[in-house]
Amino acid sequence: MAPKTPTIARIWRGRTLPDKADAYERYNYEAGIKPLIEKALGVQTFREDTPTHSEFVTMSYWESVEAMAAFTGGDPQSIHHLDRDKEFLIELPKGVQVLRILSSHGMVGGS
């Protein structure tokens, strides 16, 4: 069977205080990213540290909006907050961005 091609990218963003960033990174990976890896075609995580906050971005890649909706439980833009997000995040994200992938060139991910 040929590998599935991603046509949709789902982008989640969350910010935490710098002194909580390392702990949130570990927690988010265990509680949020690992389950996502099992369902999405691909997952990338990013982190930007500034003096006032650390921003985390998760991009997941999906075969279709329908496949993504099956993971989210219906609404592809709904957010599933992790149990400890209120403890770590400055504010709870209200939505995600869902983008159609138009093209991809070169090496676009890491290990």
Side-chain angles (χ1 to χ4, degrees), residues 23-85:
Y24 184 70
E25 182 177 345
R26 288 187 298 274
Y27 169 71
N28 184 47
Y29 181 77
E30 290 298 322
I33 303 304
K34 278 186 173 180
L36 186 57
I37 290 169
E38 296 174 10
K39 302 292 182 183
L41 295 178
V43 178
Q44 292 179 303
T45 57
F46 305 87
R47 175 176 164 177
E48 178 187 25
D49 295 318
T50 75
T52 60
H53 68 273
S54 293
E55 182 175 16
F56 291 87
V57 177
T58 301
M59 294 182 68
S60 56
Y61 300 93
W62 301 87
E63 174 185 7
S64 65
V65 172
E66 293 78 20
M68 185 177 42
F71 170 73
T72 62
D75 179 0
Q77 294 188 331
S78 70
I79 291 186
H80 169 75
H81 295 293
L82 303 177
D83 291 342
R84 295 179 61 199
D85 276 355

Coordinates of all heavy atoms in Angstrom, one line a residue, residues 23-85:
A23 N 9.5 22.2 31.9 CA 8.6 21.2 32.5 C 7.4 21.0 31.5 O 6.9 19.9 31.3 CB 8.1 21.6 33.9
Y24 N 6.9 22.1 30.9 CA 5.8 22.0 30.0 C 6.2 21.2 28.8 O 5.4 20.4 28.2 CB 5.2 23.3 29.6 CG 4.0 23.1 28.7 CD1 2.8 22.7 29.2 CD2 4.0 23.4 27.4 CE1 1.7 22.4 28.4 CE2 2.9 23.2 26.6 CZ 1.8 22.7 27.1 OH 0.7 22.5 26.3
E25 N 7.4 21.5 28.3 CA 7.9 20.7 27.1 C 7.8 19.2 27.3 O 7.4 18.4 26.5 CB 9.3 21.2 26.7 CG 9.8 20.5 25.5 CD 11.2 21.0 25.1 OE1 11.7 22.0 25.6 OE2 11.8 20.3 24.3
R26 N 8.3 18.8 28.5 CA 8.3 17.3 28.8 C 6.9 16.8 29.0 O 6.5 15.8 28.4 CB 9.1 17.1 30.1 CG 10.6 17.2 30.0 CD 11.3 16.8 31.2 NE 11.0 17.6 32.4 CZ 11.6 18.8 32.7 NH1 12.5 19.3 31.9 NH2 11.2 19.4 33.8
Y27 N 6.0 17.6 29.7 CA 4.7 17.2 29.9 C 3.9 17.1 28.6 O 3.2 16.1 28.3 CB 4.0 18.1 30.9 CG 2.5 17.9 30.9 CD1 1.9 16.8 31.5 CD2 1.6 18.8 30.4 CE1 0.6 16.6 31.6 CE2 0.2 18.6 30.4 CZ -0.3 17.5 31.0 OH -1.6 17.3 31.0
N28 N 4.0 18.1 27.8 CA 3.3 18.2 26.5 C 3.7 17.0 25.6 O 2.8 16.5 24.9 CB 3.6 19.5 25.8 CG 2.8 19.7 24.5 OD1 1.6 19.5 24.5 ND2 3.5 20.1 23.5
Y29 N 5.0 16.7 25.6 CA 5.4 15.6 24.8 C 4.7 14.3 25.2 O 4.2 13.5 24.4 CB 6.9 15.4 24.8 CG 7.4 14.3 23.9 CD1 7.4 14.4 22.5 CD2 7.7 13.1 24.4 CE1 7.7 13.4 21.7 CE2 8.1 12.0 23.6 CZ 8.1 12.2 22.2 OH 8.4 11.1 21.4
E30 N 4.8 14.0 26.5 CA 4.3 12.8 27.0 C 2.7 12.7 26.9 O 2.2 11.7 26.5 CB 4.7 12.6 28.5 CG 6.1 12.3 28.7 CD 6.6 11.0 28.0 OE1 5.8 10.0 28.1 OE2 7.7 11.0 27.5
A31 N 2.0 13.8 27.3 CA 0.6 13.7 27.3 C -0.1 14.1 26.0 O -1.2 13.7 25.8 CB 0.1 14.7 28.4
G32 N 0.5 14.9 25.2 CA -0.1 15.4 24.0 C 0.5 15.0 22.7 O -0.2 14.5 21.8
I33 N 1.8 15.0 22.6 CA 2.5 14.7 21.3 C 2.5 13.2 21.1 O 2.2 12.8 19.9 CB 3.9 15.3 21.3 CG1 3.8 16.8 21.5 CG2 4.6 14.9 20.0 CD1 3.0 17.6 20.6
K34 N 2.8 12.4 22.1 CA 2.9 10.9 21.8 C 1.6 10.4 21.3 O 1.6 9.6 20.3 CB 3.3 10.2 23.1 CG 4.8 10.1 23.3 CD 5.1 9.3 24.5 CE 6.6 9.1 24.7 NZ 6.9 8.2 25.9
P35 N 0.4 10.7 21.9 CA -0.8 10.2 21.3 C -1.1 10.8 19.9 O -1.7 10.1 19.0 CB -1.9 10.7 22.3 CG -1.2 11.0 23.5 CD 0.2 11.4 23.1
L36 N -0.7 12.0 19.6 CA -0.9 12.6 18.3 C 0.0 11.9 17.3 O -0.5 11.6 16.1 CB -0.5 14.1 18.4 CG -0.8 14.9 17.1 CD1 -2.2 14.9 16.7 CD2 -0.3 16.3 17.4
I37 N 1.2 11.5 17.6 CA 2.1 10.7 16.7 C 1.4 9.5 16.2 O 1.6 9.1 15.1 CB 3.4 10.4 17.4 CG1 4.2 11.7 17.6 CG2 4.2 9.4 16.6 CD1 5.4 11.6 18.5
E38 N 0.6 8.8 17.1 CA 0.0 7.6 16.7 C -1.2 7.8 15.7 O -1.5 6.8 15.0 CB -0.6 6.9 17.9 CG 0.5 6.5 18.9 CD -0.1 5.9 20.2 OE1 -1.3 5.7 20.3 OE2 0.7 5.7 21.2
K39 N -1.7 9.0 15.6 CA -2.9 9.2 14.7 C -2.6 10.0 13.5 O -3.1 9.8 12.4 CB -4.0 10.0 15.5 CG -4.4 9.2 16.8 CD -5.1 8.0 16.4 CE -5.6 7.3 17.7 NZ -6.3 6.0 17.4
A40 N -1.7 11.0 13.6 CA -1.4 11.9 12.4 C -0.4 11.2 11.5 O 0.3 10.3 11.9 CB -0.9 13.2 12.9
L41 N -0.3 11.7 10.3 CA 0.7 11.3 9.3 C 2.1 11.8 9.7 O 3.1 11.1 9.4 CB 0.3 11.7 7.9 CG -0.9 11.2 7.3 CD1 -1.2 11.7 5.9 CD2 -0.9 9.7 7.3
G42 N 2.1 12.9 10.4 CA 3.4 13.5 10.8 C 3.1 14.5 11.8 O 2.0 15.1 11.9
V43 N 4.1 14.8 12.7 CA 4.0 15.8 13.7 C 5.3 16.5 13.9 O 6.4 15.9 13.9 CB 3.6 15.2 15.1 CG1 3.6 16.2 16.2 CG2 2.3 14.4 15.0
Q44 N 5.3 17.8 13.9 CA 6.5 18.7 14.2 C 6.1 19.5 15.4 O 5.0 20.0 15.6 CB 6.8 19.6 13.1 CG 7.3 18.8 11.9 CD 7.6 19.8 10.7 OE1 6.8 20.5 10.3 NE2 8.9 19.8 10.3
T45 N 7.1 19.7 16.3 CA 7.0 20.6 17.5 C 8.1 21.7 17.4 O 9.2 21.4 17.0 CB 7.0 19.8 18.8 OG1 8.3 19.1 18.9 CG2 5.9 18.8 18.9
F46 N 7.7 22.9 17.9 CA 8.6 24.0 17.8 C 8.5 24.7 19.2 O 7.5 24.7 19.8 CB 8.2 25.0 16.7 CG 8.1 24.4 15.3 CD1 6.9 23.8 14.9 CD2 9.2 24.4 14.5 CE1 6.8 23.2 13.7 CE2 9.1 23.8 13.2 CZ 7.9 23.3 12.8
R47 N 9.6 25.5 19.5 CA 9.6 26.2 20.7 C 10.4 27.5 20.5 O 11.5 27.4 19.9 CB 10.3 25.4 21.9 CG 10.4 26.2 23.1 CD 11.0 25.3 24.2 NE 11.5 26.1 25.4 CZ 12.0 25.5 26.5 NH1 12.0 24.2 26.6 NH2 12.4 26.3 27.4
E48 N 9.9 28.6 20.9 CA 10.6 29.9 20.9 C 10.6 30.5 22.3 O 9.6 30.7 22.9 CB 9.9 30.9 19.9 CG 10.6 32.3 19.9 CD 9.8 33.3 19.1 OE1 8.6 33.2 19.0 OE2 10.5 34.3 18.7
D49 N 11.8 30.8 22.7 CA 12.0 31.4 24.1 C 12.3 32.9 24.0 O 13.1 33.3 23.2 CB 13.2 30.7 24.8 CG 12.9 29.2 25.1 OD1 11.8 28.9 25.5 OD2 13.8 28.4 24.9
T50 N 11.5 33.7 24.7 CA 11.7 35.1 24.8 C 11.9 35.4 26.3 O 11.6 34.6 27.1 CB 10.6 35.9 24.2 OG1 9.5 35.8 25.1 CG2 10.1 35.4 22.8
P51 N 12.3 36.6 26.6 CA 12.4 37.0 28.0 C 11.1 36.9 28.8 O 11.1 36.7 30.0 CB 12.9 38.5 28.0 CG 13.6 38.6 26.7 CD 12.8 37.7 25.7
T52 N 9.9 37.1 28.1 CA 8.6 37.1 28.8 C 7.8 35.8 28.7 O 6.9 35.6 29.5 CB 7.8 38.3 28.3 OG1 7.6 38.1 26.9 CG2 8.5 39.6 28.5
H53 N 8.1 35.0 27.7 CA 7.3 33.8 27.6 C 8.1 32.8 26.6 O 9.0 33.2 26.0 CB 5.9 34.1 27.0 CG 6.0 34.6 25.6 ND1 6.1 35.9 25.3 CD2 5.9 33.9 24.4 CE1 6.2 36.1 23.9 NE2 6.0 34.9 23.4
S54 N 7.6 31.6 26.7 CA 8.0 30.6 25.7 C 6.8 30.1 24.9 O 5.8 29.8 25.6 CB 8.7 29.4 26.4 OG 9.9 29.8 27.0
E55 N 6.9 30.2 23.6 CA 5.8 29.7 22.8 C 6.1 28.4 22.2 O 7.2 28.1 21.7 CB 5.6 30.7 21.6 CG 4.4 30.3 20.8 CD 4.0 31.3 19.7 OE1 4.8 32.2 19.4 OE2 2.9 31.2 19.2
F56 N 5.1 27.5 22.3 CA 5.1 26.2 21.7 C 4.2 26.1 20.6 O 3.1 26.6 20.6 CB 4.7 25.1 22.8 CG 5.8 25.0 23.9 CD1 5.7 25.8 25.0 CD2 6.8 24.1 23.8 CE1 6.6 25.7 26.0 CE2 7.7 24.0 24.8 CZ 7.7 24.8 25.9
V57 N 4.6 25.5 19.5 CA 3.8 25.3 18.3 C 3.9 23.8 17.9 O 5.0 23.3 17.9 CB 4.3 26.2 17.1 CG1 3.5 25.9 15.9 CG2 4.3 27.7 17.5
T58 N 2.7 23.3 17.7 CA 2.6 21.9 17.2 C 2.0 21.9 15.9 O 0.8 22.4 15.7 CB 1.9 21.0 18.2 OG1 2.5 21.0 19.4 CG2 1.8 19.6 17.7
M59 N 2.6 21.3 14.9 CA 2.0 21.1 13.5 C 1.8 19.6 13.3 O 2.8 18.9 13.5 CB 2.9 21.7 12.4 CG 3.1 23.2 12.5 SD 4.1 23.9 11.2 CE 3.0 23.6 9.8
S60 N 0.6 19.3 13.0 CA 0.3 17.9 12.6 C -0.2 17.9 11.2 O -0.8 18.8 10.7 CB -0.7 17.3 13.6 OG -1.9 18.0 13.7
Y61 N 0.1 16.8 10.6 CA -0.2 16.6 9.1 C -1.2 15.5 9.0 O -1.1 14.4 9.5 CB 1.0 16.4 8.3 CG 2.0 17.5 8.5 CD1 3.0 17.5 9.5 CD2 1.9 18.6 7.7 CE1 3.9 18.5 9.6 CE2 2.8 19.7 7.8 CZ 3.8 19.6 8.8 OH 4.6 20.7 9.0
W62 N -2.2 15.7 8.1 CA -3.4 14.8 8.0 C -3.7 14.5 6.5 O -3.5 15.4 5.7 CB -4.6 15.4 8.7 CG -4.3 15.7 10.1 CD1 -3.8 16.8 10.6 CD2 -4.5 14.7 11.2 NE1 -3.6 16.6 12.0 CE2 -4.1 15.4 12.4 CE3 -5.1 13.5 11.3 CZ2 -4.2 14.8 13.6 CZ3 -5.1 12.9 12.5 CH2 -4.7 13.5 13.7
E63 N -4.2 13.3 6.2 CA -4.6 12.9 4.9 C -5.7 13.8 4.4 O -5.8 14.1 3.2 CB -4.9 11.5 4.9 CG -5.5 10.9 3.6 CD -5.9 9.5 3.7 OE1 -6.0 8.9 4.8 OE2 -6.3 8.9 2.7
S64 N -6.7 14.1 5.3 CA -7.9 14.9 4.9 C -8.5 15.5 6.2 O -8.1 15.2 7.3 CB -8.9 13.9 4.3 OG -9.3 13.0 5.3
V65 N -9.4 16.5 5.9 CA -10.1 17.1 7.0 C -10.9 16.0 7.8 O -11.0 16.0 9.0 CB -11.0 18.2 6.5 CG1 -11.9 18.7 7.6 CG2 -10.2 19.4 6.0
E66 N -11.4 15.1 7.1 CA -12.2 14.0 7.7 C -11.4 13.1 8.6 O -11.8 12.8 9.7 CB -12.9 13.1 6.6 CG -13.9 13.8 5.8 CD -13.3 14.7 4.7 OE1 -12.2 14.5 4.3 OE2 -14.1 15.6 4.2
A67 N -10.1 12.8 8.2 CA -9.2 12.1 9.1 C -8.9 12.9 10.4 O -8.9 12.3 11.5 CB -8.0 11.7 8.4
M68 N -8.7 14.2 10.2 CA -8.4 15.0 11.3 C -9.6 15.1 12.2 O -9.5 15.1 13.5 CB -8.0 16.4 10.9 CG -7.6 17.3 11.9 SD -7.0 18.9 11.3 CE -8.1 19.3 10.0
A69 N -10.8 15.2 11.7 CA -12.0 15.3 12.4 C -12.3 14.1 13.2 O -12.8 14.1 14.4 CB -13.2 15.6 11.5
A70 N -11.9 12.9 12.7 CA -12.0 11.7 13.4 C -11.2 11.7 14.7 O -11.6 11.2 15.7 CB -11.7 10.5 12.5
F71 N -10.0 12.3 14.6 CA -9.1 12.4 15.8 C -9.6 13.4 16.8 O -9.6 13.1 18.0 CB -7.7 12.8 15.3 CG -6.8 13.2 16.5 CD1 -6.3 12.2 17.3 CD2 -6.5 14.5 16.7 CE1 -5.4 12.5 18.3 CE2 -5.6 14.8 17.8 CZ -5.1 13.8 18.6
T72 N -10.2 14.5 16.3 CA -10.6 15.5 17.3 C -12.0 15.3 17.8 O -12.5 16.0 18.7 CB -10.6 16.9 16.6 OG1 -11.5 16.9 15.5 CG2 -9.2 17.3 16.2
G73 N -12.7 14.3 17.3 CA -14.0 13.9 17.8 C -15.1 14.7 17.1 O -16.2 14.9 17.6
G74 N -14.9 15.2 15.9 CA -15.9 15.9 15.1 C -15.5 17.2 14.5 O -15.3 17.2 13.3
D75 N -15.3 18.2 15.3 CA -14.9 19.5 14.8 C -13.4 19.5 14.6 O -12.7 19.5 15.6 CB -15.4 20.6 15.7 CG -15.0 22.0 15.3 OD1 -14.4 22.1 14.2 OD2 -15.3 23.0 16.0
P76 N -12.9 19.7 13.4 CA -11.4 19.6 13.2 C -10.7 20.8 13.8 O -9.5 20.7 14.1 CB -11.3 19.7 11.7 CG -12.5 20.2 11.1 CD -13.6 19.8 12.1
Q77 N -11.4 21.9 14.2 CA -10.8 23.0 14.8 C -11.0 23.0 16.3 O -10.5 23.9 17.0 CB -11.3 24.3 14.2 CG -10.9 24.4 12.8 CD -11.2 25.8 12.2 OE1 -12.2 26.4 12.6 NE2 -10.5 26.2 11.2
S78 N -11.6 22.0 16.9 CA -11.8 21.9 18.3 C -10.5 21.6 19.0 O -9.6 21.0 18.4 CB -12.8 20.9 18.7 OG -12.4 19.6 18.5
I79 N -10.3 22.1 20.2 CA -9.1 21.9 21.0 C -9.4 21.0 22.1 O -10.3 21.1 22.8 CB -8.6 23.3 21.5 CG1 -8.1 24.1 20.4 CG2 -7.5 23.0 22.5 CD1 -7.4 25.4 20.9
H80 N -8.5 20.0 22.2 CA -8.5 19.1 23.4 C -7.4 19.6 24.3 O -6.2 19.4 24.1 CB -8.2 17.7 22.9 CG -8.0 16.7 24.1 ND1 -9.0 16.3 24.9 CD2 -6.8 16.2 24.5 CE1 -8.4 15.5 25.8 NE2 -7.1 15.4 25.6
H81 N -7.8 20.3 25.4 CA -6.8 20.8 26.4 C -6.3 19.6 27.2 O -7.1 18.7 27.6 CB -7.4 21.8 27.3 CG -7.8 23.1 26.5 ND1 -6.8 23.9 25.9 CD2 -9.0 23.6 26.3 CE1 -7.4 24.9 25.4 NE2 -8.7 24.8 25.5
L82 N -5.0 19.6 27.4 CA -4.4 18.5 28.3 C -4.8 18.8 29.8 O -5.1 20.0 30.1 CB -2.9 18.5 28.1 CG -2.4 18.2 26.7 CD1 -0.9 18.3 26.7 CD2 -3.0 16.9 26.2
D83 N -4.8 17.8 30.6 CA -5.3 18.0 32.0 C -4.5 19.1 32.7 O -5.1 19.8 33.5 CB -5.1 16.6 32.7 CG -6.0 15.6 32.3 OD1 -7.1 15.9 31.6 OD2 -5.8 14.4 32.5
R84 N -3.2 19.2 32.5 CA -2.4 20.2 33.2 C -2.2 21.5 32.5 O -1.4 22.4 32.9 CB -1.1 19.6 33.7 CG -1.3 18.4 34.7 CD -0.1 17.8 35.1 NE 0.8 18.7 35.8 CZ 2.1 18.6 35.9 NH1 2.7 17.5 35.4 NH2 2.9 19.5 36.5
D85 N -2.8 21.7 31.3 CA -2.6 23.0 30.5 C -2.9 24.2 31.4 O -2.2 25.2 31.3 CB -3.5 23.0 29.3 CG -2.8 22.2 28.1 OD1 -1.6 21.8 28.3 OD2 -3.4 22.1 27.1

